[in-house]
């Protein structure tokens, strides 16, 4: 483990010099009162700048349902929180997403529904309507696929994901898909 601050370019550069990096997953968070009003955007910009310097192209960024153009996909009560108690953090999330979209990197902005600590279900649905819940482990698997799968279908997109409802996204795990002979 390498300690440091995501907003310090020297600290982030140390991580990239430790070993070969194929892709990056950014999952920043915290209370605005603890991390500041722009840490998500600032930290993401630092990471993306080091990625570009090191030639790393693939990026998955976890934001939230309700960020960017997904506001209508958030449940009503969450929309109230976004406009009041969570207003500053959502301003930062929106700026973070805009920075990622303008980065020129091969990105996927991942907008999970309500996060749970339940065991992984293996079910990840891309949601067009209002999102339900999803385990943190299922979000992690989706993000790993986003940075490791060459033909990941949501590069350059900002899918809202949930384990409840929506259109299922199922990774082909057959031997044929893995290039194994039958």
């Amino acid at each position: 483990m390498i300690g440091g601050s995501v907003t310090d370019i020297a600290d982030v550069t140390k991580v990239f010099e430790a070993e070969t990096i194929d892709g990056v997953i950014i999952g920043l968070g915290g209370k605005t009162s603890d991390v500041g009003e722009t840490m998500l955007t600032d930290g993401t910009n630092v990471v993306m700048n080091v990625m570009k310097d090191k030639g790393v192209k693939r990026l998955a960024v976890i934001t939230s349902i309700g960020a960017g153009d997904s506001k209508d996909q958030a449940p009503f009560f969450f929309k109230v929180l976004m406009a009041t108690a969570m207003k500053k953090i959502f301003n930062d999330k929106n700026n973070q997403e805009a920075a990622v979209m303008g980065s020129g990197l091969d990105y996927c902005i991942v907008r999970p529904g309500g996060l749970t600590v339940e065991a992984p279900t293996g079910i990840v649905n891309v949601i067009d309507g209002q999102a339900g819940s999803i385990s943190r482990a299922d979000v992690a698997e989706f993000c790993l696929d986003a940075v490791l799968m060459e033909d990941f279908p949501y590069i350059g997109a900002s899918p809202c994901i949930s384990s409840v409802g929506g259109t299922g996204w199922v990774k082909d795990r057959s031997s044929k898909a893995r290039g194994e002979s039958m």
Side-chain angles (χ1 to χ4, degrees), residues 60-82:
V61 179
I62 304 165
T63 63
S64 176
I65 192 76
D69 62 2
S70 71
K71 182 178 179 181
D72 291 338
Q73 292 180 270
F76 175 76
F77 179 70
F78 197 67
K79 287 180 191 175
V80 172
L81 287 174
M82 288 168 38

Side-chain angles (χ1 to χ4, degrees), residues 2 62 95 97 181:
I2 300 172
I62 304 165
N95 291 334
E97 286 195 4
S181 60

Side-chain angles (χ1 to χ4, degrees), residues 112-180:
L115 295 171
T116 72
V117 293
E118 303 298 319
T121 65
I123 299 169
V124 176
N125 295 319
V126 174
I127 305 296
D128 290 325
Q130 200 173 88
S133 61
I134 186 168
S135 75
R136 285 172 163 77
D138 287 329
V139 174
E141 180 68 27
F142 189 83
C143 290
L144 284 169
D145 287 346
V147 297
L148 297 175
M149 284 181 64
E150 187 174 324
D151 59 348
F152 188 73
Y154 299 103
I155 295 301
S158 306
C160 294
I161 61 173
S162 173
S163 293
V164 180
T167 304
W169 177 72
V170 179
K171 181 166 54 170
D172 185 350
R173 298 178 191 273
S174 67
S175 58
K176 181 180 177 185
R178 293 191 308 266
E180 298 172 1

